[in-house]
Amino acid sequence: MEMELLRTNLSKVRIPEPTNRIYKQECCISFDTPKSEGGLFVDMNTFLAFGKDYVGWNFEKTGNPVYLHIKQTKKPIPEDRPLKKPTLLAIALGFLLEFLRFLRFCLCFWFNFAQHSCIGVDGGFDNQELEYDETYNIVILPDYATFPFPSVALPEKVRLAVDAILIAEGAERKEQVASWTADKKQTSEYALTLKQIDNGVIVPPSGWKCAKCDKTDNLWLNLTDGMILCGRKLWDGSGGNNHAIDHYNETRYPLAVKLGTITSDLEGADVFSYPEDESVTDPLLAEHLAFFGIDFSSLKKTEMTQLKKNLTRIPTLTGTGFKKVDRTLNHLLDLGTQDLLISLLFGCNHASCLFNSFILFTVLHEPKFENGFDIAPADPTVDLNMQLTKLANGLLSGKYSVPAVQNDDAGNAVDSSQNAKQEGIRPRMFKAVIAASHPEFSTMRQQDALEFFLHLIDQVERINAGRPELDPGRSFKFGIEERLQCPSGKVAYNRRHDYILSLTIPLEKVTNKKELEEFNKFKAQKEADGMEISSDEIVRPRVPLSDCLNIFSAPEELQGFYSTALKGKTTAIKTAGLTSFPDYLVLHMRKFVMEAGWVPKKLDVYVDVDDVIDISHMRSKGLQPGEELLPEGGPGEQEESNKVLPNEDIVSQLASMGFNQLHCQKAAINTSNAGVEEAMNWLLSHMDDPDIDAPIQKDAGGNEVDPSKVATLVSFGFEEEIARKALKASGGDIEKATDWIFNPPASGPSDMDATSSSGPAVDATLPDGDGKYRLIGLVSHIGTSTQCGHYVAHVYKEGRWVIFNDDKVGVSKNPPKDMAYLYFYERIRN
């Protein structure tokens, strides 16, 4: 009777094709896995996975009744299992490699592989990973009728579908690998011209063995002569015996494909080019395989690619490295609230991983995700709203805030130890969605925390366009008003919205000048003696946060400002203030600057911050009684104000490097005098322009900009005309355009929109309140520049500071408040 029920629902069962994404390792709307108490249910029509609490929701939404239930149960560990004792060499390597992980300067993936190869191998540390038994059942909703798998009694279509699901690589794993391979493999120059030798070799579908030794794994098929040989020997003795590379050195046959990685999805095959010394793509791989009688459509994956093998070796290391940053730290096993138990978010050397912890903590505390399930699309894995809802529920529910192992093999309770590991959550689906629209964040390359914050806020704002009440990013949004006064005494007011308050660090305001002078003498003496200075001896400048805030509002000269009252360019005085105070105030310390040679440099400076600040004095006042606005300019005046003349300093510096004077002038004009670096970049990229030697036209500087980039800046809260001018000045680079807006060059913001409103400027659409704030979080950067380093985050929660370092969470007794790159303040509500 029950089998008949299954047969009547066969139309709802699909056999997956190679192009289908199959989720079988994590629920699409929770963080349940096959190891969870209720296991995981895979929809056999859509191939989406759901935990026990949500499979019914999916059934009601889609009407799909047939599911593959996957359940993993921990295997008992034999009492007589021998424990491996680490060798002294392995112990030394462990400490050394952990120190290198802490430094992680310009960390590359191959180093990551070498770094972890000694874990879990002979002579190394036995990771004692738990093993699991996996069981499968076919379940039909709504009554949860259950049929065991495998079973010959099941319809053939069901058996084929289940086999295909189990054999296929999970979409979750594919996305993890894709983030490491976002830098697309290059097509090998040898693939299109490869000459294959017809020597009668036919490669069987299985049973391979190295032609020169007894190795049966890590085998590579040379695509020229069909030789099957083992791969390289690794430094720890594992891997192959170098027979494949030796064969190349003898024959110079360039390409080889790893056997066991060939399936109907040829893009997943591991092809290596020896002369190019890297993994490549072979667009003719199907033909090259067919030459040796290989029918790739019938092959199944039996080996991991080198990249996936490396990913599985990346373990969780102990957290001694970040103690230097945190100064005093106690390991924290259970904080009681899941929002502080965030596991590895973006991967080991992704700079945003820890920053993300705090951003999501603040954003997700906003009660705006209650209707996420109601508006979920057919595929929740690609919907940002749904993934934010999933993440909010996962963080705030406390469901995943438990140690990974709570019982012994006999089922008896075991006390939690300081070394107990917690599974936490790994929001890979969220990462895939938020990074999909960004070419940088979709990779595992080093990123800037501020960039990620702005990107996250932008994406959240876009999905809630027209529904501001549902937008959690609105809690960070505030208004900025700039007042410009020309020598005529008349004024102009410009307004924009922003999410961060970017602050210059005034080094002239240091409070420890005497100590710095003594340190510089001490340093000079040490260097003269050929001795190095220890980190404990370094004295850094200290600047109060109050001075950084004051610099933001302080009057500043703005040269090249076109005054419609004086009908010419002049020097104006600019001041700035806030039109509203957000719920959460984000302070960005400009610690990265350009030094001589246009090399990015990080300022090695401490900023003394207070736990409570009051910025009430920074509220803008708007047009005041007795002030007179600058008159509106006519068409001719507007054209005059927009006309850019070359900055002589920029021109002379470029000319001194040997560039043509006319070319230098064009470079300065076309970058709106943004600086020598911008002008040189423009010059180098336009040297071959056919009109580079043509005389400068009167309308120079009127080049067009990309409308999509304009829209991106407008979404950040900038006015459209300001965005256009900034992009024009920065050569279309959004990051430089944003910096240009914050630091306008000598041409002045003459085309910014002016307002004639009187009295304090208030935007009713933005949150507002008192100017008193309490520090609740900070993000620190460890490293010397923007191109390398690591971010750690600290959150103030329940009366104590907590550090997030990758998947390490601990109580911080002395957080590095003076070293942060970003500060998060919450407005104190009366």
Side-chain angles (χ1 to χ4, degrees), residues 484-494 560-572 628-642 749-754:
L484 300 115
Q485 180 174 351
C486 78
S488 69
K490 297 180 181 180
V491 299
Y493 284 89
N494 305 312
F561 176 77
Y562 183 84
S563 170
T564 54
L566 302 177
K567 302 194 182 301
K569 293 194 174 184
T570 184
T571 299
E628 184 179 353
L629 287 172
L630 284 166
E632 295 287 341
E637 290 178 322
Q638 185 66 29
E639 181 181 343
E640 178 66 23
S641 69
N642 288 334
S750 55
D751 58 350
M752 289 184 178
D753 292 340

Side-chain angles (χ1 to χ4, degrees), residues 647-662:
N647 182 289
E648 289 304 323
D649 290 338
I650 296 176
V651 173
S652 62
Q653 288 189 57
L654 290 176
S656 67
M657 299 177 192
F659 293 108
N660 178 282
Q661 182 81 7
L662 175 62

Side-chain angles (χ1 to χ4, degrees), residues 8 64 133 143 248 273 284 321 346 377 404 545 570 619 652 714 786:
T8 58
N64 296 335
D133 287 318
D143 298 326
Y248 163 71
S273 170
L284 302 179
F346 272 40
L545 177 62
T570 184
R619 189 180 287 275
S652 62
V714 170
T786 57

